Amino acid sequence: MVRRPVDTGDPDRLYTVTQGRSHPVDDSSFDLVTLVVSECGPTPGMQSEHVRILELCRHPTAVVEISAEMRLPITVVRILLGDLLSTGRITARHPRAGRSLVDLPDPSFLEEVLHGLRNL
């Protein structure tokens, strides 16, 4: 698949797409790897960019992938995602944070599994 560069050449278009907003209402909702899933289909009269996001996110899709597919800057995509999240049209799933040492299995158990696998 050939990736085209992000469309930053027409500031008037980006201004229109975001309705003049320069950042999302809740900037913490969407980092680059947040997975977005559509909760409904598009409805008549929706902004075309919102429709495209709902179509792209039928299956979990990372914010960075949405940006690349739509050829829009991350900031613009975050604003659009914020619109959809506030109306309940999408859900955002943040990747699990790194596991702590307390959550990891006991090293002796892992050693036993390794020995068992070698013996197969």
Side-chain angles (χ1 to χ4, degrees):
M1 177 190 309
V2 175
R3 295 276 184 206
R4 296 182 185 126
V6 171
D7 184 4
T8 57
D10 187 1
D12 292 336
R13 176 177 174 262
L14 298 180
Y15 183 85
T16 303
V17 166
T18 62
Q19 300 171 350
R21 296 169 290 167
S22 60
H23 53 70
V25 174
D26 182 7
D27 210 13
S28 65
S29 293
F30 304 101
D31 58 22
L32 296 177
V33 294
T34 299
L35 296 176
V36 178
V37 180
S38 301
E39 293 298 326
C40 64
T43 57
M46 284 183 74
Q47 184 175 334
S48 62
E49 290 80 10
H50 288 142
V51 170
R52 181 75 176 120
I53 290 171
L54 291 176
E55 290 170 348
L56 285 170
C57 297
R58 288 184 183 134
H59 303 284
T61 308
V63 172
V64 71
E65 292 177 65
I66 298 167
S67 176
E69 286 293 324
M70 295 184 68
R71 297 179 12 167
L72 290 172
I74 290 288
T75 304
V76 171
V77 170
R78 284 180 175 154
I79 293 168
L80 296 170
L81 290 171
D83 296 343
L84 293 169
L85 184 65
S86 69
T87 59
R89 295 179 189 274
I90 62 167
T91 53
R93 299 178 191 163
H94 301 283
R96 296 176 88 190
R99 298 180 120 198
S100 70
L101 291 176
V102 176
D103 295 339
L104 295 176
D106 181 34
S108 62
F109 173 74
L110 292 176
E111 237 178 87
E112 287 179 41
V113 170
L114 182 61
H115 289 296
L117 290 172
R118 285 184 181 153
N119 290 332
L120 288 177

